[in-house]
Amino acid sequence: MPAFDYIRVFHGEPHAGRGRELLAAHPELRALAGHNPLSAVWTVALVVAQLGLALLVGDRRWFVWLPCAYVAGATIDHALWVLIHECSHNLIFRRRTPNRMIAIVANLPMVVPGAISFAKYHLLHHRHLGELDFDCGIPGPLEARIVARSSVAKTIWVAGYSVVQGVRPARLKKVRLLDAWTAANMVVEFAAMGLLVYLTGAGPIKYLLASTVFAIGLHPLGGRWIQEHFALAPDQETYSYYGPLNKVAFNAGYHVEHHDLVTVPWTRLPEIRRAAPEFYDGLHSYQSWTGLLVRFIVDRHLSLFNYIVRPSRDDRDSHVNV
């Protein structure tokens, strides 16, 4: 059984160096960087589709709207989260402001404001990968101890991952929680949901909230949160998924590729691996999010401590100097 501690390392994150090596070996990959304004069209189309489904099934019996939320709604919301992720890296428009604005639009069907906060903490995740003080993707020590290796607790943790993500930022004491764009996201989201309830009643909100919970929870797409950085292979802290669900997840599975070259939009991520197979063929990867999710839950050798962490940069420099 695993010890109740993370996999601790003292070297820096690997992707900056891998990115430089990639571009040195394949300078043609520089042409993949850029923006994809078509993602804004996808965003608007998916928001309209999700709100339309909410109006269509929200007032039906639970055995109609709940399966619809699990199958269709969660898939749409997950795709919108990937597009919000694109906004966080300014990969839809060239300037930051329109990217933030379209992220807030993508957030509309999700009931709870989270797009701008996600963008802020996601960029910190890239800059401080594996640092507990800045990387919100790491399960905190208390969180990991509570869940431990119990299959029941891990199931509840996965099912409630939307709540987990909402409370984790409180752990990051060095990061300011509220700013002007976060406040704007909150005002727009709560105003939109208030208007929806006023005009249509509570039915559509039930569908939208269930979709939000399912999208990053106990769902085939939920395996992505285990896939990306849970260290299940020796000396590897970032993993890719190459299975069929990439087609409905805007290539979110190409996660090593994304960390290596963060300026490449989702449409071109597969081209990185095709152009430089020698950088990726030797890495552990996944073909099934569902299979990975089941394995994580039932395998008592796996816990939330299966994560590579490193000291913050200042602490790491002090360790080296000693």
Side-chain angles (χ1 to χ4, degrees), residues 32-304:
L32 299 180
H35 308 87
N36 182 22
L38 183 61
S39 294
V41 178
W42 273 110
T43 300
V44 173
L46 290 172
V47 167
V48 170
Q50 184 72 320
L51 293 175
L53 279 170
L55 295 174
L56 182 64
V57 305
D59 288 326
R60 306 289 184 92
R61 301 286 296 276
W62 68 268
F63 52 78
V64 175
W65 67 261
L66 194 60
C68 189
Y70 191 83
V71 176
T75 303
I76 293 172
D77 269 9
H78 187 275
L80 286 170
W81 276 118
V82 180
L83 292 170
I84 289 171
H85 168 265
E86 293 287 291
C87 295
S88 71
H89 290 283
N90 297 330
L91 295 177
I92 297 181
F93 301 111
R94 186 175 299 275
R95 297 178 60 192
R96 178 174 294 180
T97 296
N99 280 286
R100 285 174 167 172
M101 292 173 67
I102 200 66
I104 291 174
V105 171
N107 199 163
L108 285 175
M110 299 176 187
V111 183
V112 179
I116 298 300
S117 293
F118 169 84
K120 173 171 62 179
Y121 289 105
H122 181 71
L123 292 178
L124 286 170
H125 161 73
H126 276 271
R127 295 171 189 152
H128 300 275
L129 182 65
E131 299 178 22
L132 274 165
D133 288 340
F134 295 100
D135 188 349
C136 204
I138 306 172
L142 179 60
E143 175 188 341
R145 287 192 181 94
I146 290 172
V147 175
R149 47 183 176 252
S150 163
S151 294
V152 173
K154 285 189 281 186
T155 300
I156 295 170
W157 178 82
V158 171
Y161 197 65
S162 56
V163 177
V164 170
Q165 286 286 68
V167 300
R168 266 190 196 165
R171 190 190 82 230
L172 275 60
K173 305 298 185 183
K174 298 180 180 180
V175 182
R176 187 172 66 171
L177 189 63
L178 191 63
D179 54 48
W181 274 101
T182 304
N185 189 180
M186 295 170 66
V187 169
V188 170
E189 186 64 27
F190 289 138
M193 292 301 100
L195 180 61
L196 182 63
V197 172
Y198 176 76
L199 293 175
T200 68
I205 290 290
K206 292 186 299 183
Y207 164 84
L208 292 176
L209 188 57
S211 298
T212 297
V213 173
F214 290 147
I216 54 175
L218 201 59
H219 188 278
L221 293 165
R224 175 184 161 203
W225 315 114
I226 309 302
Q227 163 243 311
E228 290 183 340
H229 292 290
F230 274 85
L232 305 187
D235 302 319
Q236 186 176 333
E237 59 185 298
T238 307
Y239 301 77
S240 287
Y241 158 81
Y242 300 124
L245 289 178
N246 273 315
K247 294 185 182 299
V248 295
F250 293 105
N251 290 328
Y254 288 81
H255 202 60
V256 180
E257 292 84 347
H258 166 64
H259 268 268
D260 288 346
L261 298 176
V262 297
T263 58
V264 177
W266 67 269
T267 48
R268 303 169 203 155
L269 286 176
E271 297 180 40
I272 299 175
R273 185 175 182 237
R274 283 197 292 266
E278 70 275 19
F279 281 84
Y280 299 99
D281 287 350
L283 297 178
H284 185 75
S285 61
Y286 301 101
Q287 294 294 328
S288 172
W289 272 332
T290 306
L292 174 61
L293 191 59
V294 171
R295 175 192 170 195
F296 177 77
I297 289 172
V298 303
D299 189 342
R300 287 182 58 81
H301 290 86
L302 302 180
S303 76
L304 273 60

Side-chain angles (χ1 to χ4, degrees), residues 23-35:
L23 294 176
H26 297 276
E28 70 276 9
L29 292 176
R30 296 180 187 276
L32 299 180
H35 308 87

